[in-house]
């Protein structure tokens, strides 16, 4: 087995960085102001609090009482485990408070019309998958080369089996493999939870609306001015002001790179539906006429939404289609409409300002990566800060790294659209015809079509900073980017060395070590009943 296709390679997705006691934070930084109290603001506050408060550095979060938070963003990657570990918060405390469930991955329904490939699951890969991942990538390559072997990803990953059986990805204690998972959670409750924890730990909070940003003579941010005439100064500012990008974009004029030619979606409409008894630990993403709908299970409800292109359908049409999709045409449940700005700033860290969250950029939520960007941006910044390395060179290296991560992730998301075979609307036809692909993505698709291994491309190019090898095999194999069935030939014995029955058996037997998702969730005691009983209203 090549390490490049093993799950252990993916396990970088779970990383705990702890504050360094002897770190040399530059003495010029004594006070940090975070503008914005959404998820980005409070995740940043928690991470900075762990690193800076023990050194006597003050942190204050400013939040407008008139501009609300975005209030969506309910799915994560496995990285979020690392975040909670790094700030010392147990699942038993935060999950019940945020109505959280476990997530094994995402099902993509109806993105492809190829027989047998109308649905596939993008799993979070685990150590156990090292036993079956080589078989999957081997078969996928053989099938591209015209051999009729099974190459749909679903039968090769434990996460897929768990999701199908509504089992929580928490094995019994004697199970010898760790299993990787992310979470679903209520975005509003998560913000409230983090706010409470950050304030308990010593972060200051001031509700105030900023109407102006004052620059110093050298071009740094000197202070922000509120609508009541208060001037609030700091040595360093973190811009978590959402799509507005008050500091990084509006005040510091950092250019914005628009991804509209790659990713057409720029709007969303969201509404909740009741949850049933069984909860499959997965997000479902269903392709609709002009975009896709998410379905996210929380303990108290489903979060649903339709992400679409406003150039292809109106907000009313999108809401109607979502209601139809959810069976809510006559329901009084109200829908919430949102606009999205898709792209990134060129410099996420510029002068004495770091942009985190929607202010630094956003790739549409298809793979639920935004919190991952928040987490990686703030924790990498803390590493630089603790190394005392805050000069222009450090900023350049940091910004290049974040930009590559954005572009690599964007290319993976673009692949969902480029490989669609629906063709039922202009939207899908234009996506399939879209030639605005990065050179690295074009090369990767050429490599796949030539039947060669993707490992070299992903390891040697920037595209690898987005998704690991197995994810690329899942998306291309899962949507059926193979020769048509009629063109395939029966395998020789050496071309079909793996028996699917053995793989099925292995995963089914492994699944016996997991319990029902609902039962596991019910066994997580809520820390505070009051917190978890808040009624969610759009
Ligand atoms: C449709 C959709 C679905 C999404 N799904 C996912 C998902 O599944 N997974 C995921 O990881 N991410 C998802 N995201 C992204 C996720 O919601 C955000 O990344 C996350 O919530 C962080 O937002 P934020 O804190 O940057 O911005 P916001 O939540 O917009 O917060 C901005 C803050 O800035 C403050 N502010 C603004 N102006 C001022 C001012 N003048 N003065 C003072 N304060 C001000 C506001 O009061 C607010 O507190 C989704 C986004 C959208 C649009």
């Amino acid at each position: 087995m090549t390490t490049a296709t093993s799950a252990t390679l993916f396990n970088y997705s779970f990383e705990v960085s702890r504050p360094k006691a002897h770190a040399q934070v530059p003495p010029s930084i004594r006070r940090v102001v975070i503008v914005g109290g959404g998820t980005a603001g409070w995740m940043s506050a928690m991470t900075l609090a762990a690193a800076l408060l023990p050194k006597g550095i003050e942190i204050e979060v400013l939040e407008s009482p008139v501009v609300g938070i975005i209030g969506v963003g309910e799915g994560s990657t496995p990285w979020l485990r690392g975040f909670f570990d790094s700030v010392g918060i147990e699942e038993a405390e935060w999950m019940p408070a945020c109505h959280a469930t476990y997530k094994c991955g995402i099902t993509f329904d109806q993105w492809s019309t190829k027989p047998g490939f109308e649905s596939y699951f993008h799993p979070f890969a685990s150590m156990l998958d090292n036993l079956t991942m080589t078989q999957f990538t081997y078969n996928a390559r053989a099938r591209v080369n015209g051999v009729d072997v099974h190459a749909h990803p679903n039968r090769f990953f434990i996460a897929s089996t768990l999701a199908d059986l509504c089992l929580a990805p928490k094995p019994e204690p004697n199970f010898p493999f760790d299993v990787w998972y992310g979470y679903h959670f209520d975005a509003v409750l998560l913000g409230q939870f983090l706010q409470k924890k950050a304030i308990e730990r010593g972060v200051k909070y001031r509700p105030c609306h900023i109407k102006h940003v004052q620059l110093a003579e050298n071009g740094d941010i000197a202070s922000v001015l509120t609508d009541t005439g208060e001037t609030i100064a700091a040595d360093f500012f973190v811009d978590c002001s959402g799509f507005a990008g008050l500091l990084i974009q509006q005040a510091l004029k950092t250019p914005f790179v628009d991804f509209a030619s790659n990713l057409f979606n720029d709007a969303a409409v969201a509404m909740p539906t009741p949850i049933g008894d069984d909860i499959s630990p997965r997000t479902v993403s269903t392709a609709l006429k002009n975009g896709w709908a998410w379905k996210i299970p929380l303990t108290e409800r489903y979060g649903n939404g339709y992400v679409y292109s406003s150039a292809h359908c109106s907000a009313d049409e999108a809401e109607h289609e979502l209601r139809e999709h959810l069976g809510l045409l006559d329901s009084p449940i109200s829908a919430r409409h949102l606009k999205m700005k898709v792209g990134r700033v060129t410099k996420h860290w510029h002068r004495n300002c770091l942009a985190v969250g929607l202010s630094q950029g956003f790739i549409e939520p298809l793979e639920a990566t935004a919190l991952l960007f928040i987490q990686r941006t703030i924790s990498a910044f803390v590493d630089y800060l603790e190394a005392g390395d805050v000069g222009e060179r450090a900023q350049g290296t940091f910004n290049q790294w974040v930009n590559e991560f954005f572009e690599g992730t964007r290319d993976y998301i673009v692949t969902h659209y480029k490989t669609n075979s629906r063709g039922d609307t202009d939207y899908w036809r234009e996506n399939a015809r879209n030639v605005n692909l990065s050179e690295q993505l074009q090369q990767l698709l050429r490599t796949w079509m030539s039947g060669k291994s993707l490992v070299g491309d992903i390891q040697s190019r920037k595209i690898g900073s987005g998704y690991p090898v197995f994810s690329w095999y899942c998306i291309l194999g899962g949507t059926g980017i193979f020769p048509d069935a009629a063109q395939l030939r029966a395998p020789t014995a050496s071309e079909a060395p793996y028996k699917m029955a053995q793989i099925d058996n292995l995963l089914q037997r492994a699944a016996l070590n997991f319990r029902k998702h609902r039962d596991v969730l019910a066994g997580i005691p809520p820390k505070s009943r009051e917190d978890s009983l808040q009624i969610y209203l759009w």
Side-chain angles (χ1 to χ4, degrees):
M1 177 188 300
T2 62
T3 52
T5 52
S6 78
T8 29
L9 184 81
F10 183 66
N11 290 351
Y12 67 71
S13 63
F14 177 62
E15 184 183 79
V16 181
S17 64
R18 303 234 178 250
K20 296 162 195 71
H22 305 294
Q24 299 294 313
V25 175
S28 56
I29 300 179
R30 303 306 308 157
R31 179 172 146 76
V32 176
V33 155
I34 298 172
V35 176
T39 315
W42 291 112
M43 282 178 76
S44 300
M46 289 293 285
T47 301
L48 289 172
L52 304 186
L53 290 181
K55 297 184 174 55
I57 299 168
E58 187 180 295
I59 302 169
E60 186 169 34
V61 174
L62 313 180
E63 184 182 21
S64 169
V66 287
V67 182
I69 63 166
I70 191 117
V72 283
E74 303 186 327
S76 89
T77 64
W79 278 77
L80 201 62
R81 284 173 77 186
F83 168 76
F84 280 108
D85 273 9
S86 71
V87 295
I89 296 177
E90 300 284 335
E91 284 183 353
E93 183 173 6
W94 81 266
M95 285 187 69
C98 301
H99 297 177
T101 65
Y102 293 108
K103 173 177 173 185
C104 291
I106 307 175
T107 288
F108 291 90
D109 269 347
Q110 296 167 40
W111 288 71
S112 169
T113 53
K114 302 199 173 165
F117 297 92
E118 296 89 347
S119 177
Y120 79 95
F121 187 68
H122 181 196
F124 298 133
S126 294
M127 290 160 74
L128 180 65
D129 297 320
N130 286 342
L131 302 176
T132 51
M133 207 183 283
T134 304
Q135 290 82 327
F136 170 52
T137 52
Y138 176 95
N139 278 11
R141 270 188 69 193
R143 197 170 172 107
V144 178
N145 284 302
V147 180
D148 190 3
V149 285
H150 188 88
H152 189 291
N154 287 22
R155 279 168 72 186
F156 294 90
F157 292 88
I158 185 66
S160 180
T161 308
L162 298 178
D164 285 346
L165 299 173
C166 293
L167 301 173
K170 304 283 283 185
E172 298 297 343
N174 58 353
F175 191 65
F177 300 97
D178 197 2
V179 170
W180 299 93
Y181 58 82
Y183 306 97
H184 304 112
F185 45 83
D186 182 309
V188 174
L189 295 182
L190 179 66
Q192 290 170 358
F193 176 85
L194 292 175
Q195 171 175 11
K196 189 165 153 253
K197 296 304 285 187
I199 292 171
E200 274 170 19
R201 290 177 184 197
V203 171
K204 296 191 170 144
Y205 174 60
R206 194 178 329 192
C208 60
H209 184 77
I210 290 154
K211 66 165 201 195
H212 184 62
V213 179
Q214 287 159 328
L215 300 186
E217 265 181 22
N218 68 357
D220 281 2
I221 296 175
S223 56
V224 291
L225 184 69
T226 71
D227 59 356
T228 54
E230 224 178 337
T231 297
I232 302 170
D235 307 308
F236 197 90
F237 290 83
V238 184
D239 185 350
C240 296
S241 62
F243 283 130
L246 281 184
L247 280 63
I248 198 80
Q249 295 180 46
Q250 294 187 33
L252 293 179
K253 310 273 181 241
T254 308
F256 189 81
V257 182
D258 201 324
F259 289 165
S261 65
N262 310 84
L263 294 168
F264 300 168
N265 297 341
D266 60 354
V269 49
M271 53 200 305
T273 50
I275 188 96
D277 287 340
D278 262 358
I279 305 181
S280 178
R282 76 173 111 207
T283 299
V284 178
S285 154
T286 308
L288 299 183
K289 282 185 197 150
N290 295 294
W292 58 276
W294 77 78
K295 182 178 183 190
I296 288 184
L298 307 183
T299 52
E300 316 296 315
R301 65 175 167 89
Y302 278 112
N304 308 280
Y306 182 10
V307 176
Y308 63 95
S309 155
S310 64
H312 293 83
C313 77
S314 69
D316 283 349
E317 286 165 341
E319 182 176 331
H320 183 85
E321 197 186 347
L322 178 64
R323 284 184 181 279
E324 203 169 41
H325 171 66
L326 297 172
L328 292 181
L329 272 180
D330 301 319
S331 161
I333 296 176
S334 61
R336 195 163 158 240
H337 288 266
L338 301 148
K339 293 299 283 179
M340 306 187 308
K341 184 168 149 191
V342 176
R344 62 163 174 84
V345 292
T346 47
K347 294 177 182 174
H348 307 261
W349 178 7
H350 186 37
R351 297 184 171 277
N352 63 337
C353 176
L354 176 76
V356 186
L358 298 174
S359 64
Q360 72 180 128
F362 181 51
I363 299 174
E364 64 138 281
L366 187 57
E367 292 275 355
T369 45
L371 263 58
L372 167 61
F373 279 88
I374 293 171
Q375 192 180 338
R376 293 195 81 187
T377 302
I378 191 68
S379 68
F381 173 73
V382 165
D383 287 345
Y384 280 87
L385 208 55
E386 291 186 325
D389 193 6
V390 295
E392 266 185 40
R393 214 160 127 183
Q395 293 188 15
T397 317
F398 176 89
N399 288 325
Q400 187 183 347
W401 171 77
V402 184
N403 285 337
E404 284 177 6
F405 185 37
F406 258 90
E407 315 257 302
T409 305
R410 178 205 58 198
D411 285 350
Y412 189 77
I413 305 297
V414 166
T415 306
H416 288 274
Y417 295 97
K418 180 67 187 167
T419 57
N420 93 82
S421 50
R422 289 176 59 98
D424 55 331
T425 58
D426 284 348
Y427 172 87
W428 290 108
R429 285 189 290 273
E430 285 167 31
N431 267 301
R433 278 201 306 264
N434 191 7
V435 287
N436 293 316
L437 308 181
S438 72
E439 174 46 41
Q440 52 179 359
L441 177 55
Q442 292 180 41
Q443 176 56 47
L444 189 116
L445 295 177
R446 279 195 294 270
T447 304
W448 174 270
M449 298 312 286
S450 72
K452 296 198 183 102
S453 165
L454 297 181
V455 173
D457 273 13
I458 292 167
Q459 282 186 337
S460 64
R461 290 168 182 268
K462 286 185 280 183
I463 205 159
S465 56
Y467 275 81
V469 171
F470 86 86
S471 288
W472 286 98
Y473 275 88
C474 283
I475 191 172
L476 295 168
T479 43
I481 310 301
F482 296 122
D484 287 344
Q487 294 170 291
L488 299 174
R489 59 176 176 75
T492 62
S494 67
E495 283 171 335
Y498 305 117
K499 303 274 168 291
M500 287 312 297
Q502 280 176 2
I503 292 170
D504 291 343
N505 190 25
L506 172 78
L507 295 181
Q508 293 294 333
R509 284 178 52 186
L512 297 175
N513 295 280
F514 295 80
R515 289 186 293 134
K516 279 283 176 198
H517 192 193
R518 255 294 186 211
D519 295 345
V520 172
L521 292 172
I524 301 175
K527 182 81 175 173
S528 145
R529 229 18 233 165
E530 238 170 65
D531 282 355
S532 63
L533 285 178
Q534 296 196 46
I535 294 168
Y536 187 89
L537 292 173
W538 283 104

